[in-house]
Amino acid sequence: GQNIDQPTEMTATEGAIVQINCTYQTSGFNGLFWYQQHAGEAPTFLSYNVLDGLEEKGRFSSFLSRSKGYSYLLLKELQMKDSASYLCAVIKAAGNKLTFGGGTRVLVKP
Amino acid sequence: DVKVTQSSRYLVKRTGEKVFLECVQDMDHENMFWYRQDPGLGLRLIYFSYDVKMKEKGDIPEGYSVSREKKERFSLILESASTNQTSMYLCASSLRRPQAFFGQGTRLTVV
């Protein structure tokens, strides 16, 4: 089976940095996704890590350590529009289905 | 642009009714998925399909069935709706690469 854990909620100030951690346990691993979901909207793709290390994409970066079963999403220079839920999802080696964590709700305050 | 379209944004049905949720994608994707999303539980996979007429159970298939008669369309069926099926339902599709594209969601209320 798969257990995917991430904090329920985080609060940060506009312009600051926030790091959202995700830990997972899975019998097979073929990559980890981060999605952003604004309230009432569909999740949208942010990043995909399959190898260890840091992937940077503008203000957002995602890190993966397969040996530790650990990932984080780093949001820099926070903007009010970054207030959303951030979903960590793991894909197993066999098959294409994603298994999601419960999501982390990030609230950005002025 | 990638497009996954769900037939309704909001739906209210009565207990015991048969409910159809429709999802269409225009990207020629092989894989299609149905999730439900509930507060504190995240997205949970109900059913998925790798090809036309093929379906596999996800993590919570009880009370649901699916149909995939055409590649672009994946339907979720609630044979006899119950109040515990009140939820947000999200459809997604993907190619062989696992990145999934989501529809806008259907918020179903069963009264």
Side-chain angles (χ1 to χ4, degrees), chain A residues 82-93:
Chain A
D82 297 330
S83 290
S85 289
Y86 293 85
L87 314 178
C88 172
V90 170
I91 189 159
K92 293 180 75 168

Side-chain angles (χ1 to χ4, degrees), chain A residues 63-81:
Chain A
F63 171 83
L64 176 67
S65 169
R66 288 173 296 172
S67 61
K68 295 181 179 176
Y70 168 69
S71 173
Y72 68 72
L73 180 69
L74 195 69
L75 285 62
K76 293 181 266 191
E77 299 168 21
L78 279 171
Q79 301 176 8
M80 298 299 291
K81 67 178 181 180

Side-chain angles (χ1 to χ4, degrees), chain A residues 35 37 40 42 91 95-96 98, chain B residues 9 31 35 37 50 96 98 100 103:
Chain A
Y35 281 82
Q37 186 180 24
I91 189 159
N96 280 313
L98 289 168
Chain B
R9 286 298 299 268
N31 308 314
Y35 291 87
Q37 185 174 30
Y50 290 138
R96 289 187 189 88

Side-chain angles (χ1 to χ4, degrees), chain A residues 14-102:
Chain A
E14 196 175 11
I17 298 172
V18 70
Q19 178 175 313
I20 307 168
N21 296 324
C22 173
T23 58
Y24 64 89
Q25 296 171 322
T26 181
S27 53
F29 180 81
N30 199 30
L32 187 143
F33 285 84
W34 284 97
Y35 281 82
Q36 180 191 57
Q37 186 180 24
H38 286 100
E41 297 182 12
T44 55
F45 169 79
L46 286 178
S47 67
Y48 173 52
N49 294 68
V50 65
L51 299 176
D52 290 352
L54 187 68
E55 296 272 347
E56 296 188 80
K57 199 184 288 187
R59 293 188 299 114
F60 292 4
S61 304
S62 57
F63 171 83
L64 176 67
S65 169
R66 288 173 296 172
S67 61
K68 295 181 179 176
Y70 168 69
S71 173
Y72 68 72
L73 180 69
L74 195 69
L75 285 62
K76 293 181 266 191
E77 299 168 21
L78 279 171
Q79 301 176 8
M80 298 299 291
K81 67 178 181 180
D82 297 330
S83 290
S85 289
Y86 293 85
L87 314 178
C88 172
V90 170
I91 189 159
K92 293 180 75 168
N96 280 313
K97 59 173 185 168
L98 289 168
T99 300
F100 285 83

Side-chain angles (χ1 to χ4, degrees), chain B residues 22-38:
Chain B
E22 306 285 347
C23 175
V24 177
Q25 50 95 2
D26 65 358
M27 299 160 288
D28 204 33
H29 284 174
E30 288 92 356
N31 308 314
M32 295 189 76
F33 309 85
W34 274 107
Y35 291 87
R36 63 177 283 177
Q37 185 174 30
D38 301 287

Side-chain angles (χ1 to χ4, degrees), chain B residues 9-51:
Chain B
R9 286 298 299 268
Y10 301 94
L11 214 51
V12 180
K13 296 291 181 180
R14 293 192 182 279
T15 301
E17 272 193 83
K18 190 169 185 175
V19 181
F20 292 87
L21 302 183
E22 306 285 347
C23 175
V24 177
Q25 50 95 2
D26 65 358
M27 299 160 288
D28 204 33
H29 284 174
E30 288 92 356
N31 308 314
M32 295 189 76
F33 309 85
W34 274 107
Y35 291 87
R36 63 177 283 177
Q37 185 174 30
D38 301 287
L41 297 175
L43 274 78
R44 293 179 291 166
L45 183 64
I46 305 171
Y47 265 99
F48 59 106
S49 168
Y50 290 138
D51 203 350

